[in-house]
Amino acid sequence: MEASMKEKISNKTKEIEAIIYRYLPEETGYQKTVISAMNYTMKAGGKRLRPMLMDETFRMFGGTDRSLIEPFMAAIEMIHTYSLIHDDLPALDNDDYRRGRKTAHVVYGEAMAILAGDSLLNYAFETAAKAFDGTSKDIQTAKAFRILTRKPGIYGMIGGQTADVEGEGHPVDIDTLLFIHENKTGALIECAMMIGAVLAGASKEEVSEIEMIARKIGIAFQIQDDILDLTSTAEELGKPVGSDEKNEKNTYVSLTGLEQSRKDVLRYTKEALASFDGLSCKNDFLRELLLTLSSRKY
Amino acid sequence: MEASMKEKISNKTKEIEAIIYRYLPEETGYQKTVISAMNYTMKAGGKRLRPMLMDETFRMFGGTDRSLIEPFMAAIEMIHTYSLIHDDLPALDNDDYRRGRKTAHVVYGEAMAILAGDSLLNYAFETAAKAFDGTSKDIQTAKAFRILTRKPGIYGMIGGQTADVEGEGHPVDIDTLLFIHENKTGALIECAMMIGAVLAGASKEEVSEIEMIARKIGIAFQIQDDILDLTSTAEELGKPVGSDEKNEKNTYVSLTGLEQSRKDVLRYTKEALASFDGLSCKNDFLRELLLTLSSRKY
């Protein structure tokens, strides 16, 4: 990635964080502890990729109403964050650290971490519901809401998560692995970009096209993740490498080999970008961002 | 409770179960296990009180569109059920049995029980979102949605749950306990009745009135629960008694005494029914049901 793109992303991340932070609940009242645990994890950093993809897709299709898109941007980051809190729990991945910070259950205890995850998932929908304003715009917002409720659920992210948990410790076939990658990682990327398109008033066909583009980028992103876990140094990646092997995770690399994996990342990326270039509207930053995601080095 | 009322409730429960079951996801695909865990717990019985209160409030205010109310009835039972699955987890109440059946984490393991709870919460919103139909009715449905996203969250049920978890093992004051009772139990009762009213087209004032009635019934219901845990036999209650004392739970009885608790149940119930009788529309079964809830013997 060239330096200017890195800087552009970093600036966007800051802008998006400022937006998201405005939607975080105040740490007060009898429920203060669970809110602290929510906010602690929401403030743990990261590129804010999902709200970034949502916002850029919204802009590409000519969306301008910030009161519509911003609650959904905060909501999708809350959903992503709840999934991290629950993933890190002792009964699941049992991770004590994430991005160099102690995870929620280490700081707040397991009971509070479970409740904080539940709270963030629930609060995501409560936050997105702020976009309803009692006018006929609600018809369009409801469409975005349907996507926000579907993609993170059993027919999306949690579906992938379930198959992943069940697949641990024994080999799975390539179809199962693709299902996991498409859903565990891909579903929220699809969700983000589709909502951006819907809220900007994109046509049904355009939203379908965006879904397909997002799916391919999501798969490429996840295969690249598997590659990096094997080939990067811990320093480059900013987290321990080789953890997939250690945890006996099925990865695209372990099933198809490194050579084939690299080829497939390229193929999925190319296909996604070809569809993207066929859209009637443009967003050069978004194009570059999609390319960066699937060819990243860390 | 007179025999005929018991029978009426039992019949309504069966009708509601038939409705709810239609909204349960099919146990198929790579995510089959988590769906089985969801459905296992959804099918564990119970009176289906929350959807019953929702439906009866809807009918009272003249609601007739079943495609509007039924997704929300299923949704609120899913939210109630997810809260039971997560409550029963080892890190929270650590209960291996509920209503004589093994709890989800005992049957499916802890990881899958966490995911099943997450799935049910998410699927509740996905299910309620089926009520959106792309017409101007969506404006009204959106109002119900805002209630469905708020009352189970940090400013409702989870808020109460947080204070309850933090209060265990040491005495809390009566204000904290009322906060817990109002939110942990009361919030979903308020949620149910308010959504019934909103979807039937009740006025803002009527919805506020319903919220107040539901709050009082919720508190009376929970105080009665504390009383029964202390005074019933296990046979009458169908579950172990004295569990609050064993778990060092703060209860209304331990804070105010049995005499005062009984008086307060009566007072809250009377106030709620007086407001109920002041409404411009009637539902005799719902009135009887509210009375039954707070003066139940089991």
Side-chain angles (χ1 to χ4, degrees), chain B residues 47-66:
Chain B
K47 293 198 196 66
R48 315 298 184 181
L49 209 60
R50 291 152 197 84
M52 195 182 293
L53 289 167
M54 186 187 284
D55 195 21
E56 291 303 324
T57 309
F58 181 70
R59 290 172 195 272
M60 177 167 74
F61 284 103
T64 54
D65 184 347
R66 304 304 299 171

Side-chain angles (χ1 to χ4, degrees), chain B:
Chain B
M1 178 170 28
E2 44 167 337
S4 70
M5 185 57 188
K6 211 170 163 174
E7 206 181 307
K8 269 187 217 162
I9 292 177
S10 159
N11 288 338
K12 292 267 179 194
T13 299
K14 278 177 210 142
E15 281 172 38
I16 287 168
E17 263 178 4
I19 293 167
I20 291 171
Y21 282 18
R22 287 206 300 275
Y23 287 93
L24 296 183
E26 232 187 292
E27 294 173 25
T28 169
Y30 290 110
Q31 59 280 77
K32 191 177 170 180
T33 309
V34 80
I35 297 178
S36 301
M38 292 163 73
N39 290 352
Y40 170 81
T41 316
M42 282 295 290
K43 290 178 177 174
K47 293 198 196 66
R48 315 298 184 181
L49 209 60
R50 291 152 197 84
M52 195 182 293
L53 289 167
M54 186 187 284
D55 195 21
E56 291 303 324
T57 309
F58 181 70
R59 290 172 195 272
M60 177 167 74
F61 284 103
T64 54
D65 184 347
R66 304 304 299 171
S67 69
L68 210 52
I69 192 73
E70 291 186 353
F72 279 91
M73 288 167 63
I76 201 160
E77 191 67 9
M78 289 173 193
I79 291 175
H80 174 57
T81 304
Y82 113 78
S83 80
L84 300 183
I85 295 179
H86 281 186
D87 255 20
D88 289 338
L89 285 169
L92 285 131
D93 285 355
N94 196 18
D95 280 321
D96 287 352
Y97 285 89
R98 183 179 285 272
R99 296 196 196 106
R101 273 178 121 213
K102 286 183 180 163
T103 44
H105 64 95
V106 174
V107 179
Y108 294 91
E110 212 177 319
M112 212 45 80
I114 293 170
L115 292 178
D118 294 346
S119 296
L120 271 174
L121 174 56
N122 193 115
Y123 202 63
F125 295 114
E126 186 170 347
T127 301
K130 292 184 207 289
F132 288 123
D133 69 352
T135 73
S136 60
K137 266 199 319 195
D138 284 358
I139 299 169
Q140 186 152 317
T141 310
K143 274 188 209 156
F145 226 98
R146 292 195 70 155
I147 299 168
L148 189 73
T149 57
R150 185 164 183 89
K151 291 287 182 185
I154 49 174
Y155 301 114
M157 187 180 70
I158 303 180
Q161 172 72 343
T162 303
D164 196 23
V165 166
E166 290 198 305
E168 256 174 83
H170 62 85
V172 300
D173 60 25
I174 189 76
D175 286 345
T176 309
L177 189 76
L178 274 174
F179 175 85
I180 294 169
H181 281 5
E182 246 184 78
N183 287 285
K184 196 179 166 181
T185 320
L188 282 200
I189 295 179
E190 292 168 31
C191 183
M193 296 184 70
M194 288 170 78
I195 288 175
V198 162
L199 290 179
S203 71
K204 212 173 159 180
E205 292 69 30
E206 286 168 325
V207 176
S208 289
E209 196 68 19
I210 284 290
E211 182 176 20
M212 193 64 73
I213 293 166
R215 180 167 304 160
K216 285 176 177 167
I217 292 293
I219 296 174
F221 179 85
Q222 189 56 50
I223 300 176
Q224 186 67 9
D225 208 62
D226 291 351
I227 294 173
L228 289 174
D229 188 76
L230 200 76
T231 63
S232 268
T233 64
E235 200 183 346
E236 283 173 320
L237 213 57
K239 62 178 181 183
V241 292
S243 66
D244 292 339
E245 230 179 330
K246 199 190 74 191
N247 295 331
E248 297 184 57
K249 285 247 181 198
N250 295 288
T251 76
Y252 204 81
V253 183
S254 70
L255 284 186
T256 68
L258 193 56
E259 201 58 30
Q260 186 63 40
S261 299
R262 283 184 168 137
K263 270 188 197 155
D264 287 342
V265 167
L266 271 183
R267 180 170 57 83
Y268 281 116
T269 308
K270 265 191 184 164
E271 285 177 14
L273 288 183
S275 303
F276 188 84
D277 293 338
L279 293 168
S280 63
C281 47
K282 302 279 157 240
N283 180 334
D284 289 340
F285 171 75
L286 178 57
R287 189 184 194 284
E288 190 76 12
L289 181 62
L290 295 175
L291 190 60
T292 302
L293 283 183
S294 53
S295 60
R296 74 197 192 288
K297 295 280 180 294
Y298 57 92

Side-chain angles (χ1 to χ4, degrees), chain A:
Chain A
M1 179 168 32
E2 40 165 342
S4 70
M5 186 58 189
K6 208 168 165 177
E7 204 181 310
K8 270 187 215 160
I9 293 177
S10 159
N11 288 337
K12 291 268 180 193
T13 299
K14 278 178 209 142
E15 281 172 37
I16 287 167
E17 262 178 3
I19 293 167
I20 291 171
Y21 283 17
R22 287 206 300 275
Y23 286 92
L24 296 183
E26 232 187 291
E27 294 172 27
T28 168
Y30 289 110
Q31 59 280 75
K32 191 179 170 178
T33 310
V34 80
I35 298 178
S36 301
M38 293 162 73
N39 291 351
Y40 170 80
T41 316
M42 283 294 291
K43 290 179 176 173
K47 293 201 196 63
R48 314 300 183 181
L49 209 60
R50 292 151 196 83
M52 195 181 293
L53 289 168
M54 185 186 285
D55 195 21
E56 292 303 323
T57 310
F58 182 70
R59 289 172 195 271
M60 176 167 73
F61 284 103
T64 54
D65 185 346
R66 303 304 299 171
S67 69
L68 210 52
I69 193 72
E70 291 185 354
F72 280 91
M73 288 167 64
I76 201 159
E77 190 68 10
M78 288 174 192
I79 291 174
H80 172 58
T81 304
Y82 114 79
S83 79
L84 301 182
I85 295 179
H86 281 187
D87 254 20
D88 288 338
L89 285 169
L92 286 130
D93 286 354
N94 196 19
D95 280 321
D96 286 353
Y97 285 88
R98 186 180 282 274
R99 294 198 197 105
R101 274 178 119 213
K102 286 183 179 162
T103 45
H105 65 95
V106 174
V107 179
Y108 293 92
E110 213 179 319
M112 212 45 78
I114 293 170
L115 292 177
D118 295 346
S119 297
L120 269 175
L121 174 57
N122 192 115
Y123 201 64
F125 295 114
E126 187 170 346
T127 300
K130 291 183 206 286
F132 289 123
D133 69 353
T135 73
S136 59
K137 264 199 320 196
D138 283 359
I139 300 170
Q140 184 151 320
T141 311
K143 273 188 212 157
F145 224 97
R146 292 195 71 158
I147 299 168
L148 189 73
T149 59
R150 185 163 185 91
K151 292 288 182 185
I154 49 175
Y155 301 114
M157 186 180 70
I158 303 181
Q161 172 71 344
T162 303
D164 194 24
V165 166
E166 289 197 307
E168 257 174 80
H170 62 84
V172 300
D173 59 26
I174 190 76
D175 286 346
T176 309
L177 189 77
L178 274 175
F179 176 85
I180 294 170
H181 281 4
E182 242 183 83
N183 287 285
K184 197 179 166 181
T185 319
L188 282 200
I189 295 178
E190 292 169 31
C191 184
M193 295 183 70
M194 288 170 78
I195 288 175
V198 162
L199 289 179
S203 71
K204 215 175 157 179
E205 292 68 31
E206 286 169 325
V207 175
S208 289
E209 196 67 18
I210 284 291
E211 183 176 19
M212 194 63 73
I213 293 166
R215 179 167 303 157
K216 285 176 176 166
I217 292 293
I219 296 175
F221 179 84
Q222 190 55 51
I223 299 177
Q224 186 67 8
D225 210 60
D226 291 351
I227 295 174
L228 290 175
D229 188 74
L230 200 76
T231 61
S232 266
T233 64
E235 200 183 347
E236 282 172 324
L237 213 58
K239 62 179 182 183
V241 292
S243 64
D244 292 338
E245 230 178 333
K246 198 189 75 192
N247 296 329
E248 298 184 57
K249 287 249 179 195
N250 294 289
T251 76
Y252 203 81
V253 182
S254 70
L255 285 185
T256 68
L258 194 57
E259 200 58 28
Q260 186 63 40
S261 299
R262 283 187 168 136
K263 269 187 199 155
D264 288 341
V265 168
L266 270 183
R267 180 172 55 85
Y268 281 116
T269 308
K270 264 190 186 163
E271 285 176 15
L273 288 183
S275 303
F276 188 84
D277 292 337
L279 293 169
S280 63
C281 47
K282 302 279 157 241
N283 180 334
D284 290 339
F285 173 75
L286 179 56
R287 190 184 193 284
E288 188 77 12
L289 181 61
L290 295 176
L291 189 61
T292 303
L293 284 183
S294 52
S295 60
R296 72 198 192 288
K297 296 279 178 295
Y298 58 91

